[in-house]
Amino acid sequence: MTGALTNMGTVLVIAPHPDDEILGCGGTIARLTADGQTVHIVITTRGKPPRYPTEDVERVRAEAAAAHTLLGVTQSHWLDHPAAELDRVPHAELNSSMGALFETVRPDTLFLPFAGDIHLDHQLTFRSALVAARPRNWRYPTRIYAYETLSETNWSAPCLAPGFAPNVFVDIQQTLDRKLDAFACYRSQVCAFPNERSPEALRALATLRGATVHRRAAEAFLLIREVS
């Protein structure tokens, strides 16, 4: 996608944890908001004691708010399921909370974590989002894309899970710096290179994905469904 990102309707970006939304599609979010599109972000989980100290959780939530404000996000939502423990949440409960969110936001376009990610929270978030997005009536998301998350998508074994084979590329040459600025808002999550969760690694991935389609920088997605 190199022109204006038009006809996307209401966009919902679903992230298992805070910062996944920036890692996976921060540049695309910046392009969407710059084009005047409505973008919602939902974070599926929230860190809870004793695994995550309360002060750390509140800091990350404040970092998320700053990142989303910088990108011009319309509204942020939190489902508050326990982080790193989604496999302990009854699937019907996760489905129900995701369904209620869809009833509120009524998204036309979805961006989801990839089903083959190594983190179970990512896998389960993807599945529940697809349940909520089922075409059971005249109103449902008509475009669904899966994004890649460094340190999650690339570490799953291809013999055990599907590999990420992108077929949609969004040019983010003009918004890559905004993506990196938004990631910088997550001060508690930014690591020094050569850690994958570093500005240098994110820029390198954007450069690689861009070169794949003869662009200077891009984000890559896997199209799950499109109805036109």
Side-chain angles (χ1 to χ4, degrees):
M1 302 181 194
T2 55
L5 297 179
T6 57
N7 301 320
M8 303 289 275
T10 297
V11 177
L12 177 60
V13 179
I14 302 180
H17 316 102
D19 84 359
D20 289 331
E21 75 286 8
I22 307 301
L23 295 172
C25 44
T28 301
I29 293 171
R31 274 197 57 184
L32 288 164
T33 58
D35 287 342
Q37 302 290 303
T38 297
V39 179
H40 291 253
I41 292 176
V42 58
I43 310 297
T44 307
T45 67
R46 179 188 182 107
K48 298 185 178 182
R51 183 188 297 272
Y52 301 98
T54 300
E55 58 271 23
D56 292 348
V57 172
E58 294 304 321
R59 179 169 63 250
V60 171
R61 190 156 183 161
E63 292 170 349
H68 297 176
T69 297
L70 187 152
L71 291 179
V73 171
T74 304
Q75 188 174 353
S76 303
H77 310 262
W78 294 76
L79 297 186
D80 288 337
H81 293 292
E85 295 182 3
L86 270 188
D87 56 323
R88 299 185 181 184
V89 176
H91 194 52
E93 182 178 330
L94 181 56
N95 290 350
S96 177
S97 64
M98 195 72 72
L101 175 74
F102 276 45
E103 286 295 324
T104 299
V105 176
R106 297 176 68 82
D108 300 292
T109 301
L110 299 179
F111 289 89
L112 312 178
F114 181 55
D117 285 1
I118 196 170
H119 202 311
L120 278 177
D121 284 0
H122 288 231
Q123 298 174 26
L124 294 170
T125 294
F126 175 88
R127 287 180 176 274
S128 286
L130 282 193
V131 170
R134 287 177 295 178
R136 296 179 296 175
N137 50 47
W138 292 107
R139 174 77 186 199
Y140 59 87
T142 54
R143 294 180 184 85
I144 303 176
Y145 305 97
Y147 58 81
E148 60 181 331
T149 308
L150 273 176
S151 78
E152 304 292 358
T153 308
N154 54 307
W155 279 113
S156 189
C159 58
L160 299 177
F164 185 74
N167 52 13
V168 175
F169 296 82
V170 175
D171 188 329
I172 62 166
Q173 178 183 353
Q174 302 301 321
T175 57
L176 176 56
D177 287 339
R178 284 186 66 196
K179 170 176 179 162
L180 297 178
D181 288 345
F183 182 58
C185 291
Y186 281 105
R187 294 183 180 180
S188 65
Q189 307 301 309
V190 175
C191 299
F193 187 77
N195 190 288
E196 292 174 295
R197 289 178 176 245
S198 63
E200 294 89 343
L202 290 180
R203 185 178 293 276
L205 178 61
T207 301
L208 172 64
R209 292 308 190 190
T212 302
V213 290
H214 202 75
R215 296 292 185 270
R216 297 188 182 279
E219 286 174 334
F221 303 93
L222 178 63
L223 177 63
I224 304 299
R225 181 174 75 208
E226 182 174 43
V227 181
S228 57

